[in-house]
Amino acid sequence: MITVTNLTKRYGGRYALAGLDLAVGTGVTGLLGPNGAGKTTLLRCLATTLAPDGGSVDAFGLDPADPVQRTALRRRLGYLPQDPGFYPHFTAFDLVDYVAILKELTDREQRHAEVRRVLAEVDLTGQAGTKVRKLSGGMRQRLALAQALLGEPDLLILDEPTVGLDPAQRMLFRTLISRMGESRAVVLSTHQTEDVAALCERVIVMREGRAVFDGTPGQLAEVAAGRVWLSDTAPPASRVFWRTADGRYRTLGERPPAAHGTAPGVEDGYLTLLGEAA
Amino acid sequence: MTTSWHISDELRDRYLAGTLAAPLATSVDAHLGGCAECRAAVPYESAWLEASWGRIETELIRPRPGWGERLLRLGGVPGHLARLLSATPTMSRAWMAAVVAALAFGVLAARHQAELLPAFLILAPVLPLTGIALAYGPRADPAHELLAATPLAGPRLLLTRATAVLAVATPLALVASPLLPAPPGLSAAWLLPSLAAASACLALSHRLPVPVSALAVGALWLAVVGAGHLTGGWLTAFGPAAQVAYGLIALSLSFRLYRMSIR
């Protein structure tokens, strides 16, 4: 459905994308990676807001490098940027309505019905008449998500969608995204490994502009198999560890003295993969 | 309960379509509440009822459109286009106040000292360029990244916003022109250069960021005026031959922009 081939993007002397190859189909795909790994650059290239320096993107048989095909692709995608700006003097309804016009929903009745639908999806019906500047951070994030849902896009691109959401809102978000992922392609980037574990059937870990892992969350967790330990006494200070809620110490890497192994999670696999625990 | 008066078919159709003015719709509502015969003639379907409630909800939560949007709608501009035009970032009161101030300054200077007439003519084409430079792009538009992935983003949205800028700046300059101490032909000599500069900026923005395009065209405009001054005086760049050239540039580039916008 979406194929990325040898994609490169350079900012000054640094490669944000260094010859990335990727294929994404129906379902929810999560992108994990440290800051500067190239996640946002990749999502911007997929969303057609950034032109790569080299390589190609093919989405539904459309090439975003061609202006006509780019417009055709934009008709099929919804995009939540990492830092969505707003017009603060617009109401929530007006902002989504404005994006709907830019998405070529010109019939007033149909457009307004669609705006009401997406606002209801993100539980913002009650705030529809509120000016954006009066909305909380979490509400703004949901508003940004609402505009991405307009027109039920075939490809949904979400850059750190859970930032600023409280636990209840994250549950709402998960429900919404998992439903979307049943019939369309959803690509999301996040720093929240629990979101990946809960939502994504596939996870891609990026580092320095390349994919260093591509598999299921379970497979990512397995990367840390035999490297996660619990002990009753604190490991040596040179090790990375933390105290868990039951008072024991959790360590990643080599086995500390008097520790026993435990099942790894997605976060353990991610940290092991990036070599940040040891 | 029944009454001797019943709503006409035409009134009922308009009520069902949601096109009745609010007071009349309220009267029809009140009548339907008391007249079983008329109520029976109104289709009652869940989809219809839902759509009606939706329209009411929308009317309640949508603020009244601004004066600019209302004016455009009154002028026959389709609602969605009026919305797009009126939401252009540079269509703010602050920008319009700046345009009025710049034009007033040009007129007052020319009236005070006739030699300053060219200042107005040189300034008038630069104002729309400034407006266009601030109408589109990541630096000018806080929601640029959000909108950049929509089908209308790019040349079509830029063209729409540039139209909004020109639609405000050009009439304001036209209002100011008769106040200049110059014959009508000369006082309107900024119009074609203005259109040529705006269309050149838009055409160039296909390859360069909009502010850079505006700066480049603005610099070129000043160079043309300067060259004219060196060869024959300040008004050389506003002579008949130059006007024909500006007209041709504006026409050909506008045609090219139109082609780009419908792709």
Side-chain angles (χ1 to χ4, degrees), chain B residues 102-120:
Chain B
L103 289 171
F105 174 77
V107 168
L108 287 174
R111 288 177 76 87
H112 181 69
Q113 207 169 340
E115 303 87 73
L116 291 176
L117 172 67
F120 180 91

Side-chain angles (χ1 to χ4, degrees), chain A residues 74-174:
Chain A
R74 284 173 176 174
R75 291 192 178 106
R76 300 180 66 175
L77 65 84
Y79 175 43
L80 165 64
Q82 186 182 40
D83 186 18
F86 296 103
Y87 302 126
H89 58 290
F90 275 32
T91 64
F93 187 96
D94 273 348
L95 186 92
V96 181
D97 188 45
Y98 185 63
V99 180
I101 292 171
L102 292 173
K103 287 192 169 183
E104 302 178 318
L105 297 172
T106 52
D107 181 84
R108 189 168 180 264
E109 291 292 322
Q110 286 179 4
R111 191 176 74 241
H112 285 175
E114 179 64 0
V115 172
R116 288 194 300 271
R117 182 188 73 81
V118 296
L119 287 174
E121 290 268 32
V122 299
D123 197 22
L124 273 183
T125 300
Q127 285 75 34
T130 307
K131 298 231 177 198
V132 172
R133 65 167 167 259
K134 292 185 178 167
L135 296 177
S136 68
M139 286 176 182
R140 287 186 193 198
Q141 191 68 2
R142 282 186 281 152
L143 181 62
L145 179 60
Q147 62 78 33
L149 299 175
L150 281 167
E152 305 204 40
D154 295 324
L155 169 60
L156 196 55
I157 298 165
L158 309 170
D159 199 348
E160 297 196 26
T162 50
V163 170
L165 300 185
D166 63 33
Q169 291 164 356
R170 276 170 70 180
M171 288 308 289
L172 173 83
F173 161 81
R174 286 179 186 175

Side-chain angles (χ1 to χ4, degrees), chain A residues 217-218 220-230 242 244 248 250-252 260-269 272:
Chain A
L220 178 56
E222 279 304 304
V223 170
R227 295 178 63 80
V228 187
W229 309 99
L230 285 174
W242 62 93
T244 61
R248 291 192 289 176
R250 188 180 172 100
T251 318
L252 200 54
H260 62 273
T262 187
V266 171
E267 188 171 48
D268 300 316
T272 302

